[in-house]
Amino acid sequence: MSIQENCRILDHQNVAPQHFKLTLSSAYIASHSEPGQFVNVKIGESYDPLLRRPLSVHRVSEEHKRFELLYEVIGRGTELLSKYSVGSELDILGPLGKGFAIDKKKEIAILVGGGMGVAPLLILADELRGKTKAIYVLIGAKTRNRVLCEQDFKGITDQVLVSTDDGSYGKKGFISDVLLDFIDNQLTTHNFQLSTIYACGPKEMLKAVVDIAFQKKIDCQVSMEQHMACGIGTCLGCVIRTKDGYKKVCDEGPVFEGKDVIWH
Ligand SMILES: Cc1cc2nc3c(=O)[nH]c(=O)nc-3n(C[C@H](O)[C@H](O)[C@H](O)COP(=O)(O)OP(=O)(O)OC[C@H]3O[C@@H](n4cnc5c(N)ncnc54)[C@H](O)[C@@H]3O)c2cc1C
Ligand code: FES
């Protein structure tokens, strides 16, 4: 169940150019959020911007009754959000949506994040610890200073691989190519059925990851991004096409089985 709550800002850090990490106080959201779920943030006191902005739950600490959001400034809402100072409050609705499903029979988790897509993968890595034998993280970014959370993942997973589009850090190229290389060289065919790929990032990246997963017969879950209006399943403003018809990203997703999504 989701709640609406005024959450106090405990910390607000500029972690990369135009990228911020926001730490907010909420015992409820910290203890009820599942990996892949998001919150809807009301930005500003007035009607502009009118709509809440969806942001993935990035990390939680039940012990400290706090949760984190990681966001990029791309427009008016996130620009205004970046001006909020520590001590002020934000009106938050959440946690919302259907997150990643963790299959305890699977022994290998492969997390693939492109750009801001790493945001929901850190809480997922935290959750997978102790539930799976190995966690591998593949991070793709445009350039060196857009590589997010590498050190955070290194502390809690078995291996972190990075690629940048321009080759300024890690391997040059797309993270989907790194995924294919990783599967071919580090997994045995026997491991394919014991693995799950969890992916979040730009649509083109997700499609490439799902194609690879299909080819190798590896289970794959993808977190889809859509423009949202109500954020609670009533306006149909966020639908995507799936093999079972149209689905609402805000409450039937954002996480879907990769094989179910129709990409065109
Ligand atoms: C389930 C979900 C989880 C998300 N999690 C995160 C997160 O953890 N961190 C993060 O930085 N962002 C996340 N986003 C995207 C984030 O919601 C948007 O970046 C934000 O709403 C933009 O608001 P704005 O007012 O700054 O930009 P706007 O002024 O509204 O838009 C600026 C530009 O970005 C485009 N745009 C805006 N929203 C989206 C969208 N959802 N998909 C594609 N294009 C868009 C607009 O068309 C426009 O061109 C998530 C989106 C969804 C649906
Ligand atoms: S945003 Fe309204 S139904 Fe999803």
Side-chain angles (χ1 to χ4, degrees), residues 54-236:
L55 295 174
S56 304
V57 176
H58 177 53
R59 207 166 205 185
V60 296
S61 167
E62 272 195 73
E63 186 192 352
H64 297 104
K65 302 179 175 55
R66 58 179 60 175
F67 67 100
E68 292 173 3
L69 305 175
L70 181 71
Y71 69 93
E72 178 179 7
V73 172
I74 64 158
R76 180 158 163 71
T78 44
E79 173 70 36
L80 282 172
L81 184 60
S82 70
K83 308 289 185 241
Y84 274 69
S85 47
V86 172
S88 57
E89 288 188 342
L90 274 169
D91 174 349
I92 305 273
L93 184 63
L96 295 164
K98 186 171 79 54
F100 293 104
I102 295 175
D103 181 347
K104 290 187 187 139
K105 293 194 289 297
K106 294 295 175 74
E107 296 182 358
I108 298 167
I110 306 164
L111 281 51
V112 186
M116 272 315 309
V118 298
L121 300 183
L122 194 59
I123 177 177
L124 176 64
D126 282 333
E127 185 69 26
L128 284 163
R129 284 179 82 189
K131 292 187 177 142
T132 190
K133 279 192 183 157
I135 307 173
Y136 301 101
V137 181
L138 281 59
I139 303 172
K142 281 190 181 139
T143 189
R144 171 185 273 269
N145 64 13
R146 297 296 172 105
V147 176
L148 301 168
C149 308
E150 185 187 5
Q151 293 311 320
D152 296 319
F153 283 116
K154 276 192 170 156
I156 57 171
T157 62
D158 295 85
Q159 191 178 2
V160 180
L161 300 169
V162 178
S163 72
T164 49
D165 297 358
D166 62 3
S168 53
Y169 187 65
K171 199 161 183 189
K172 185 176 191 310
F174 294 135
I175 201 64
S176 46
D177 297 331
V178 176
L179 173 66
L180 186 58
D181 193 55
F182 170 82
I183 292 171
D184 284 340
N185 294 304
Q186 294 203 42
L187 295 186
T188 62
T189 316
H190 168 69
N191 283 335
F192 291 2
Q193 65 201 50
L194 297 174
S195 303
T196 303
I197 297 171
Y198 303 90
C200 184
K203 197 170 171 185
E204 297 70 30
M205 181 208 94
L206 293 181
K207 186 176 178 319
V209 167
V210 169
D211 285 346
I212 293 167
F214 180 77
Q215 193 189 318
K216 303 289 180 185
K217 297 190 174 59
I218 299 176
D219 283 350
C220 178
Q221 299 174 30
V222 289
S223 180
M224 301 294 291
E225 210 183 282
Q226 262 313 51
H227 286 276
M228 287 186 182
C230 73
I232 51 168
T234 54
C235 75
L236 303 181

